[in-house]
Amino acid sequence: MTEEPSGLLALLDRKTVAQIALGFLVAVVVLGLFAVGIGVDEIRAALSGAQLEWLVLGCLSTLLCLTAWGKAWQIVLRVAGVEESFRRLAVTYYAATFANYVTPLGQAGGEPFIAYVLSRDTDASYEGALASVVTADLLNMLPFVTFSGVGFAALVYQSSLPAALEPLAAGLMGLAVGVPALAAVGWRYRFSLGRLALRLAAPVARRTKRLGLEGLRERLRELNDAFQRIAQDRRALVSVLAFAYLGWLFFALPLYFAGLTIGRDLDLLLVLFIVPASTLAGLVPSPGGLGGVEAAMIALLVGLLGVTTATGYAVALIYRLASYWFALGLGGVAALYVIARN
């Protein structure tokens, strides 16, 4: 077994904390410049009379989303032979969400974090825990491509897709078709791809002690075993996908509630398109896609609904309060608890 990564210690490393803080600072400045450019008075007017009970419902939807995804992880871990109480695992999942949301480009911090914690809390090896976590995350990609495809189809059917957004829509449809196709091809040729990965990693492994070929080979084997176990257990696979889809529905609903907060009743099918589309902007190098997601959402709301830029900014701001900042606060508290627990 390879040496456990210092996932928790990395979160406390001064250099890492400084980089994260700088990323937040830059993103907040960008959002501030957006507000100034749009007009602070116009945004304030759009937010006047906001009904905060809808914002509370948006936060509750985010909590249910994270809880559903945590349940999906528990099922995958159980198939892998890792027994963990749901209450304990849910807290760990909230902490992993915090790691994802403070990491530039997202999804780069949470998986090693939760695998490290699970290897400490259970009898699972770090490789086995990481393989199970990655398996659950890959299965969670299916609702993303499904919802984006459904939303795109609805917009095309209603003939309400502006020409300026056609490239983005085409990209989402490409993902909706390409991700399942790539997954099928990857599964079919997984052993060949594994050998290719080892050959590509060999030159790097010879130049650094941080990467060992034996450790990489073990992790690939554990990942393949995790995929095979979940594929063979059809009932568990259906349960994981059910919770994944439920989680994605709750992930999208905060945008609907954000519209209601300022008196805008958004079409749910439109929401199913806008949320995945704006999530793609989370690939910008800022914590949780901060700045990029908001900019993309404003453009989509203005282009699809014809609302003013100030209204789009207000809806995007409320959505991110419920879906990002609330999750960040919840995950931060959970991360402190998990660190103390371990």
Side-chain angles (χ1 to χ4, degrees):
M1 187 173 109
T2 58
E3 183 181 357
E4 292 178 346
S6 53
L8 294 172
L9 295 178
L11 289 179
L12 302 177
D13 179 76
R14 289 183 179 181
K15 183 178 179 181
T16 302
V17 171
Q19 291 174 341
I20 290 172
L22 179 61
F24 272 109
L25 178 62
V26 171
V28 169
V29 169
V30 169
L31 288 175
L33 292 174
F34 282 166
V36 172
I38 294 170
V40 175
D41 291 337
E42 287 80 358
I43 295 172
R44 186 181 296 115
L47 290 170
S48 64
Q51 303 177 57
L52 297 183
E53 60 269 21
W54 294 113
L55 174 60
V56 174
L57 282 177
C59 294
L60 177 60
S61 183
T62 296
L63 176 62
L64 293 174
C65 159
L66 298 179
T67 303
W69 286 343
K71 183 63 178 179
W73 274 17
Q74 186 195 31
I75 296 170
V76 173
L77 288 167
R78 185 184 300 141
V79 173
V82 179
E83 293 292 338
E84 185 65 272
S85 71
F86 177 63
R87 180 181 299 179
R88 186 180 180 91
L89 185 61
V91 174
T92 309
Y93 186 84
Y94 300 154
T97 300
F98 173 80
N100 280 339
Y101 280 8
V102 300
T103 303
L105 297 178
Q107 305 303 315
E111 284 69 17
F113 177 93
I114 195 171
Y116 174 83
V117 172
L118 287 172
S119 67
R120 294 287 299 271
D121 285 355
T122 69
D123 293 332
S125 66
Y126 172 74
E127 291 83 359
L130 182 61
S132 299
V133 168
V134 171
T135 300
D137 281 353
L138 289 176
L139 290 173
N140 199 40
M141 283 292 295
L142 290 177
F144 172 87
V145 298
T146 301
F147 285 147
S148 60
V150 169
F152 171 76
L155 289 172
V156 171
Y157 177 76
Q158 297 170 0
S159 301
S160 57
L161 186 66
L165 296 179
E166 288 179 357
L168 177 60
L172 280 176
M173 280 305 296
L175 285 175
V177 175
V179 169
L182 286 175
V185 172
W187 175 254
R188 173 67 177 81
Y189 298 101
R190 61 191 183 279
F191 297 112
S192 298
L193 290 174
R195 289 191 292 270
L196 176 61
L198 289 173
R199 284 199 297 270
L200 293 176
V204 180
R206 287 194 292 266
R207 291 175 173 80
T208 177
K209 296 181 179 179
R210 292 180 177 272
L211 178 66
L213 286 181
E214 286 302 318
L216 179 58
R217 184 178 289 108
E218 176 67 13
R219 293 186 187 185
L220 290 173
R221 186 188 66 79
E222 292 275 6
L223 184 60
N224 178 65
D225 290 346
F227 281 142
Q228 287 185 327
R229 283 192 294 265
I230 194 66
Q232 292 169 359
D233 193 331
R234 300 297 176 83
R235 179 176 297 181
L237 181 60
V238 170
S239 297
V240 171
L241 289 176
F243 280 108
Y245 274 92
L246 185 63
W248 259 98
L249 180 61
F250 284 125
F251 183 73
L253 279 177
L255 178 58
Y256 178 73
F257 292 132
L260 292 178
T261 302
I262 62 170
R264 290 277 179 174
D265 189 1
L266 304 181
D267 188 328
L268 280 174
L269 289 176
L270 190 66
V271 166
L272 291 180
F273 175 78
I274 291 177
V275 171
S278 61
T279 299
L280 290 178
L283 297 176
V284 300
S286 66
L290 194 61
V293 172
E294 288 83 354
M297 185 162 287
I298 294 169
L300 288 164
L301 290 169
V302 172
L304 293 173
L305 294 179
V307 301
T308 64
T309 308
T311 299
Y313 188 100
V315 172
L317 181 65
I318 295 170
Y319 167 74
R320 291 289 274 172
L321 281 174
S323 65
Y324 178 73
W325 291 104
F326 171 75
L328 194 68
L330 175 68
V333 173
L336 292 175
Y337 174 78
V338 170
I339 290 172
R341 188 176 71 191
N342 283 275

